[in-house]
Amino acid sequence: MRSSTTRQRQVRAPGPIWAGAVDTVVSGTQASVTVPGGMLTDGWKVRWRVRAINTATTVGSSWSDWQNLTVYVPDPVSEPAVGALQVSPAEQADGITFTPTRTPALLAQVIDPAGQPLRAEAEIEHDPAATGQGSGQIWTGTADNVASGTQASIAVPAGKLVDGWKVRWRLRAVAGDTSSAWSDWQQVTVDVIQPGEKPLAQTTAPVIRADQSFTAAAWLRWSDANGDYSIIEQRGTHQAPFRLGNTPEHGLVFTFTKADAANAPAEGVRSGIKPPVDEWFHLAATYDAATRTATLYLSAPRWAPHSCPSPHGTPRRLRCGSVR
């Protein structure tokens, strides 16, 4: 017949630290008593012993010999990691990330199980898919003493990025001599919007083949005929291939640039006509690629065709309705 026993253990270093018991242990089997948290400290040298008590008769055995034990808790292994990568400020459109500034911040959460402060390292390079914009690394930056589990922020300094560039970036975390793997490459397009310039709508890619004939038209109503407006323009890196709009000096305009350069002149229709104010009107513009002429129509009447250059062939997003 099997009897039920209770086994007890004591731990000392020096003097009693803790005593515990486990009940209903079947004779001939192993008893296990777990020391609760907060009782022992890393580095302590302690001793412990155990005895058995028959719970039916309350007869107990002698205490076992003391067993020596050193408490050793190994340090967590340092394994830096990064996650939750993002650019700020930024917006998403059809799966494409755009930043409206040349000095965005690159953000990521950095983690190390060992809990020590980390250094975040980032690098930016030209997107290999954006041919003609350059190649290779553009800039590297770091953020030091970032607490594990928090967000690292690395600001791109002025003068490194250019409006219109498509770039990619990645980030890693470093703890002492150990670093994480680099994150996957993150793509972002620099599309600078000046204060007050945000358009009513814009596409994520070119829409109009400006090297071919096309027509653009819109119904409009505004309260100031002297504003500097872009009704429709397909942007370039430095200059729009074409722009249908209004300027204080020339009224309604339909202009073109033949080179995507900062100093490229705009040519085309400068009508000198100010549109109606506080009433709806229809504006249309046509471009004939064969004859390289541009024509404007205001609520049906047209102005004589004007010679214009062939628009340059490096367009970006199409914008509708913005203040320049």
Side-chain angles (χ1 to χ4, degrees), residues 8-299:
Q8 298 178 329
R9 293 182 180 180
Q10 290 183 339
V11 183
R12 294 184 179 179
I17 298 173
W18 170 81
V22 59
D23 295 324
T24 64
V25 181
V26 177
S27 177
T29 64
Q30 186 180 66
S32 176
V33 183
T34 301
V35 180
M39 296 292 107
L40 301 179
T41 298
D42 187 24
W44 273 6
K45 293 183 178 181
V46 299
R47 62 181 187 173
W48 63 278
R49 62 182 181 176
V50 64
R51 70 175 179 176
I53 298 176
N54 188 309
T55 55
T57 64
T58 68
V59 176
S61 70
S62 300
W63 284 101
S64 68
D65 293 336
W66 285 107
Q67 310 295 309
N68 294 317
L69 171 69
T70 298
V71 181
Y72 171 71
V73 180
D75 293 331
V77 177
S78 181
E79 295 180 345
V82 296
L85 279 74
Q86 57 184 301
V87 176
S88 179
E91 63 180 36
Q92 295 279 335
D94 293 338
I96 300 174
T97 302
F98 297 91
T99 181
T101 175
R102 299 180 186 88
T103 56
L106 309 179
L107 310 176
Q109 185 183 49
V110 294
I111 302 170
D112 183 17
Q116 59 180 313
L118 300 109
R119 181 175 74 255
E121 298 180 345
E123 65 176 3
I124 302 176
E125 68 174 30
H126 290 281
D127 190 335
T131 57
Q133 293 186 349
S135 62
Q137 190 178 86
I138 298 171
W139 172 80
T140 63
T142 62
D144 292 317
N145 297 316
V146 183
S148 177
T150 64
Q151 187 181 68
S153 177
I154 304 175
V156 180
K160 301 300 179 181
L161 300 179
V162 173
D163 187 22
W165 272 5
K166 294 181 179 181
V167 300
R168 63 181 190 175
W169 65 279
R170 61 182 182 176
L171 194 145
R172 69 177 180 179
V174 180
D177 296 328
T178 305
S179 63
S180 70
W182 284 101
S183 68
D184 293 336
W185 286 108
Q186 312 292 309
Q187 274 75 25
V188 62
T189 297
V190 183
D191 190 8
V192 177
I193 298 176
Q194 302 299 334
E197 192 185 59
K198 189 170 184 178
L200 298 176
Q202 61 184 341
T203 64
T204 59
V207 173
I208 295 175
R209 285 285 303 270
D211 59 342
Q212 298 179 0
S213 299
F214 66 89
T215 298
W219 279 98
L220 305 164
R221 179 189 177 103
W222 54 49
S223 58
D224 181 9
N226 294 314
D228 195 356
Y229 308 126
S230 288
I231 300 167
I232 300 175
E233 69 173 351
Q234 190 148 274
R235 302 195 71 202
T237 299
H238 301 286
Q239 297 278 7
F242 77 88
R243 177 194 176 209
L244 174 61
N246 187 81
T247 68
E249 300 85 2
H250 304 292
L252 295 170
V253 297
F254 185 34
T255 56
F256 301 78
T257 54
K258 60 183 178 181
D260 192 11
N263 59 352
E267 304 174 58
V269 181
R270 293 182 173 88
S271 70
I273 302 297
K274 293 187 180 297
V277 174
D278 293 328
E279 64 179 78
W280 287 100
F281 64 93
H282 186 261
L283 183 67
T286 63
Y287 171 67
D288 187 329
T291 60
R292 288 194 294 182
T293 55
T295 306
L296 264 180
Y297 298 83
L298 174 60
S299 297

